[in-house]
């Protein structure tokens, strides 16, 4: 189809494959427009594409870490091999390349169970790349409510909360009842049977009886991290703004 | 169709309409088989049918209250008019006719919000008809966890728990984490949007991370009441069995 | 059932009905815990219950407006009659009673179409009650993208964005691509056929390709307003903090 | 992310990985709170994590069997190798470690078909660990009703019933019509096409026309076992309490 | 639009409205093609349209009853007024006009509960119109299995069975296990909550573990009646074919 | 909320209400951008809003008919009263105001049953407003395939086909197998039970085995009319272009 | 668990495993009760279980073929190896053991596409085992309606029709419009995207506008074969009954 | 089963397997009927079947390319080996055999993201086979709206548009708002969590607020290509018709 679809004989643009067909119109201006880092969504891309995109984006933004998410094992291996300066996280399934920003504000990442750790880790890496500190609080599921209450001082001073839970997705409601801090709920695909791949947790969180609970897609750790970091880094911190 | 379908010229059986077609094979033996009272499921029946069934079942079981559930306003009015001895509950949408049994054991009925009161009331009436005491605990939603914790002594000594909640359906998980008493969760249709008429609460409860949480249909107060009363009335009560 | 369920002969607590059964454990401490106003969720409550709750909460918090949401026509009429000091909004279906707080920060509320105005109005009332200014931008659906681009200066300086849309729910993705401000998407039930009461818009928003889009329940204007106001009022405003 | 998320240089807590990040806040008090054994939910955990948790929980509760469920083949193999004292059940996909409790009361586990045996086995192991006797009744599907009627004497004296069925999920309704014993229905994922992984059986059981049928998640053998054992072990047994 | 869409100035065809636009191409040949009567599906048609169609079809087929189904109250009233020779059934919501055919073979119509009577009645009228005898058996739900077993002799000699049930839809599986007669299952919309308007019963019946159970749409009494009558009237009846 | 949300004291813009809040940014340029008429989507708008919008759009485009769709009975009555020059169609639920364009090309609108006529009528009005001729073919459902085959000459010369069907939605597949003309399928909400408001027809059409069948929303007559008219009016018509 | 669950020391029953636990209560009486052969549903059983069941059932019914369905490749291989007298069909995924019955009546099996052949083959094997002749008609999808019309003489004389189709599932409606023979529709899982594993075809068939179309589960070839054979073998065949 | 099902001893027809059973009634007339090429739908067919069908169809239509779609890797390999003259596209998963037609008109294929390239490639190959030119525009997702606006001149002169997008499926609405060219939207299965395999994008596109957006099945590149090419090749092109 090339003849019909790409009559233009110009040299390949950045991010173009050998046939001259640009498969990705790189957007070097997002940072300027939004104040955020560049990000590569790894799902559906080949390992080679991810490495190439990380390389080009890092070259365009040498002063700030570029983030790649949803990297499968083969991609993480190729990134580690080709880009030794990259930091690869096998739990979060992410890679970062370049210096992390100086953090401003704090996001508490609260996870219900051991099985939710990979999503919580993706939140954490994302928050750090988008410019805030991370405070992690693990294994505080609602069936052992005293553990959550014990952990309350750990998240009381955060600027934003991300609450990660699968199965019945009840944790965000309980946490939101304990605080007035902006809170993002992340349903995970942890569960079986009628959890329907995280649908149950998603619906539960959307129906939270606690005021102000907003929700991401199932396993949407990246989305939650972006939103929470944007809140935390612009929050008023008297001690910092002096 | 009568000619083809009902060749039998016998006189109408009890519970038969004028044309001789029996529309309900009354089952006078359920009590003997199961130890439970007779029940009329009012939904889909005319007010006249409900009154007739209550009358016939009461005549057959004069010593024990008969229960009718899911009665709409017109049916409750007709029952009140025709059967003055009946006890009609407009919140639970029930009627009972005949003496209540002596209760054995206690069922605590815990409801999350004001809007769940009608289902909780149906649980309560059912428990009483099926032979146990009721302890009601209202308005202890998960978004105000301290209220639930304050109420813990009220349900600690119950033989069975029924936990009623709509929206995100999180309450049963939290309660089940506080106790080892058998617990039945009842999702209600309270909510809007993605609650999908109680589906969200139902799915959440089915996916509870707390051990041993069993679930009824949406707004299934009658089912929960039957199950819980059966547990409570056969539980070991040393002080009673003396 | 009262005899079994409420052995306690104490006088009725506030928010209790005539039989002494408290149908709502009022939580006078939420404001202290969260910094937010008291709120009455009107759905599933009788007009009388709403009026009583507004009255009691206002008495407990005379210095700050109490908010009631999801009030049907009958309830709004009774509130207007019994509580002349209340401000009733027929589009947002809300009532407020008491002085509004001094706003801090700004929330831009962006709505796709005329039919989304009631949800957008609920967002606006909620934001004001929870302590921020509101900037409304209407009728900027994605099928006329130039109108949205023309409106960009109007929302560029906001501290948080709430984007309200029904049908295909595309607007939040486009807006989120234009800005780095924290953004909450609200799907509405506007649409027909395969919109399935807002499900299509909800799913679209959960799957936004733009980073950081978080979502509320269908028609979840109250949730969005709470979340956005919490962000805006704690955002760093150099000119205000002088 | 460790630097930001875990500033605490304390030595690893029990159940913590090498980096010092506790991935599981072990709850050594559940037994005291609920009277139940400790349980490891194996799904989503690595074989090493399961072995470590079993080891720690057994050390804390040497007098009572600890249960691990939903163990895949690799995990069962590692448990068998590292913990030779453990009892591994390949059909139920469980492991237990420590002495089983003296049983009190009886739970009859009734399964519809050969393909439901793994879920029925999980129920049986759970019931035993939670302190009751098990009476198993297999292959009594509703399409051969005489086999079920023949088996009635086998379950008539049980204190609780667990009924396991896939496909159309009709068995619990028929059994519940024959008895007044508390009954838990467990839908299984057995079926094809429009069984939708057990959804059909789940919905059928939730809509049972027989009074008192409560339901677990699809393949929820563990939940049913916990609930039924709690009922059976507290039921009044005159001959035992002498 | 008439000018563009209907350039033809011909006089109105039968079944055409005043503007000359034929809104129904009447098919006077169905009887010849299929051996079945003519049928008017009343849903979505005005009372006037139903009366006109019945009149025209009866005129074309004076020797055999024409059937109209799914008639709302207004339509039934108009039919009764305009076509006094018609036989209107308010429970089945049908009307027939013309002489019923001599029946051949027998269809047993088995219904689970009182609330399923309207659908069972539609089956019965349809079977009679399509040329078979009807044997009705009511109120034999699976929760009282002995009533069904008692009724077995009533349906043992039928040529086809139609089994009507709502809620969990278990009855067809039990009946199909008792017989080798061709059986059609009809799910009804009887139920509440997670019955989802009959979806639960439909799914259950599609997943029947008993061999040979085929299913209609929810409340599909007409479909079942047609299918069963076709079976029964062509079945081999030695005594009749003499 | 006005004070905060609309600081601008400017006079009301066209399409603004009394409070100065513009509830619709009128887009007078769509015609220039797309070659299509202006359209008012009536659903969710008050009768007054529809009348006002029709008036303003007609004033801005006096030479070409403006279209309003999905008008309920009250709105149609007000339009007829206030805008006597408007043409109101009660079946299509539309109104047009201004001269219709000279048609170019032909769209055949094929409908399966009598109950699909309202959607077919909406297609027809839309096609005419968007500039093409309409050829209507009614009552050619797939259960009487000979009627469809008889009608083939009627649609063989059209430039585009719109096929409207509810229930099983099979008609588009059959028509598409008979022709190579571009074809749009419109599922309607006609049906009951498992038609789920048109979902069954929608899914069937999306899965058509005939090549090139594209689909609209349920009852999406307007969408189909726009798409088909755009095809027909730009199709090559040698006899017209002379 | 054996000790608790199987106190009975009796020797293993037929179909029991080594531990004495009967995993299948063999039902040697089905043939007498229903006139049908014995059947093994292979799904969810091990190859060894299938071989053992075929062996035992064949021993009990040496005069009539036993059928096993839904056999995966490993099971078919083991059956072929252990039971050389069995007839294994890799397309239908079935095995039969023993002499086939003399057929009575004819079932036409009509399939829409090449991909539906496996389900059609399962229908055919089942029909033959249950006692009727099979007439197969392939590749007559609705997008080439002339092929179906050409094949009409092939199915006009059948006693029952089974129509197999995936994707939009339209074929049964068209066939049912051409004939008055009892017709069973079988939706297949053939398709992609919004076919949702056959759900689209299932829903379409349930909503057929043609009278008398009954439906099986997705890929329910066995069910259709049983139902159709029961019809065909009892149909009146004057030439046979002489 | 062959004996019963295929009594005809005729020699195998084209497209028949060794046993003489025709598994595909080849339709050599489609081209004449519709003006389109012959197509092999590869899904569910063996590599051998695809090669045989391509060979036979090419022999019958030597002057025009035959198209095969949805070819898995094994099939593509066998086609490449056996039919060296075929053109195999691994991204589009297609093969063509024979000379491509001279194109008429232009279809612009607009894709949202890199992951949508395979579906866009299938559209492109299909359009070319069905007789139009292809103009491809990639990576213009709605989150970077300026890239789409920059590309507007590239698609302004097309005769038809195909817009391919996954996730929230918003791109068609934005494109449709910029143009009056007929537009087909193709939802892709790109996404995770609540994208439910492309369902979210499908629903969003069906609910587009932009006029005239028609939709294909998920990943329905072939359908869109057929529809768009039919539009483009019959569109009026003054410069071509001279």
């Amino acid at each position: 189809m090339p003849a019909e679809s790409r009559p233009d004989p110009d040299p390949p643009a950045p991010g173009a494959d050998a046939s001259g067909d640009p498969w990705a119109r790189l957007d070097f201006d997002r940072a300027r427009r939004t104040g955020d880092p560049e990000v590569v969504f790894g799902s559906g891309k080949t390992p080679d594409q991810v490495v190439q995109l990380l390389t080009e984006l890092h070259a365009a933004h040498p002063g700030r870490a570029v983030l790649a998410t949803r990297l499968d094992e083969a991609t993480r291996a190729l990134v580690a091999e080709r880009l030794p300066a990259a930091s690869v996280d096998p739990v979060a399934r992410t890679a970062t390349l370049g210096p992390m920003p100086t953090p401003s504000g704090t996001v508490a990442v609260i996870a219900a169970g051991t099985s939710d750790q990979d999503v919580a880790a993706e939140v954490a890496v994302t928050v750090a790349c988008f410019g805030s500190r991370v405070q992690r609080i693990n294994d505080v599921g609602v069936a052992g409510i005293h553990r959550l209450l014990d952990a309350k001082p750990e998240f009381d001073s955060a600027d934003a909360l991300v609450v990660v839970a699968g199965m019945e997705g009840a944790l965000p409601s309980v946490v939101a009842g304990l605080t007035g801090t902006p809170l993002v709920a992340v349903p995970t695909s942890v569960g079986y049977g009628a959890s329907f791949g995280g649908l149950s947790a998603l619906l539960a969180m959307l129906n939270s009886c606690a005021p102000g609970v907003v929700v991401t897609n199932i396993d949407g750790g990246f989305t939650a991290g972006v939103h929470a970091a944007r809140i935390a880094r612009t929050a008023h911190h008297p001690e910092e703004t002096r």
Side-chain angles (χ1 to χ4, degrees), chain A residues 139-158:
Chain A
D139 217 45
V140 289
V142 294
I145 200 73
H146 58 290
R147 291 183 294 185
L148 176 65
L149 298 178
D150 290 351
K152 187 168 183 297
E154 298 183 48
F155 60 78
D156 258 355
S157 59

Side-chain angles (χ1 to χ4, degrees), chain A residues 45-52 72 74-75 78-79:
Chain A
K45 296 201 177 66
T46 63
D48 275 325
Q49 287 178 324
V50 170
V51 166
Q52 183 178 350
D72 58 25
T75 301
L78 194 75
V79 168

Side-chain angles (χ1 to χ4, degrees), chain A residues 104-106 132-133 156-160 181-182 228-242:
Chain A
S104 173
T106 302
S132 289
R133 262 178 304 276
D156 258 355
S157 59
D159 298 296
T181 308
R230 286 173 172 177
I231 296 172
R233 74 190 185 206
T234 60
H236 178 53
H237 302 104
E239 74 287 358
E240 289 179 2
T241 56
R242 266 175 300 182

Side-chain angles (χ1 to χ4, degrees), chain A residues 10-119:
Chain A
D10 283 358
D17 64 15
S19 73
D21 225 50
W23 43 264
R25 297 182 184 226
L26 285 181
D27 180 1
F28 295 115
D29 261 355
R30 183 188 296 272
R32 189 180 55 72
R33 270 205 331 279
T34 65
D36 293 331
E38 298 297 324
V39 181
V40 177
F41 181 67
S43 184
K45 296 201 177 66
T46 63
D48 275 325
Q49 287 178 324
V50 170
V51 166
Q52 183 178 350
L53 284 166
L54 276 176
T55 305
E56 291 172 3
L57 289 168
H58 178 55
H61 301 274
R64 176 144 189 200
V66 173
L67 170 65
T69 64
R70 298 202 162 243
L71 307 181
D72 58 25
E73 200 169 342
T75 301
R76 294 197 304 265
L78 194 75
V79 168
E81 180 197 324
R82 297 270 183 84
L83 303 171
S87 170
V88 177
D89 184 325
V91 175
R93 298 187 300 150
T94 55
T96 57
L97 183 60
M100 298 295 271
T102 305
S104 173
T106 302
V107 174
V109 182
I110 305 172
T114 305
S115 308
D116 302 314
Q117 294 308 310
D118 51 350
V119 175

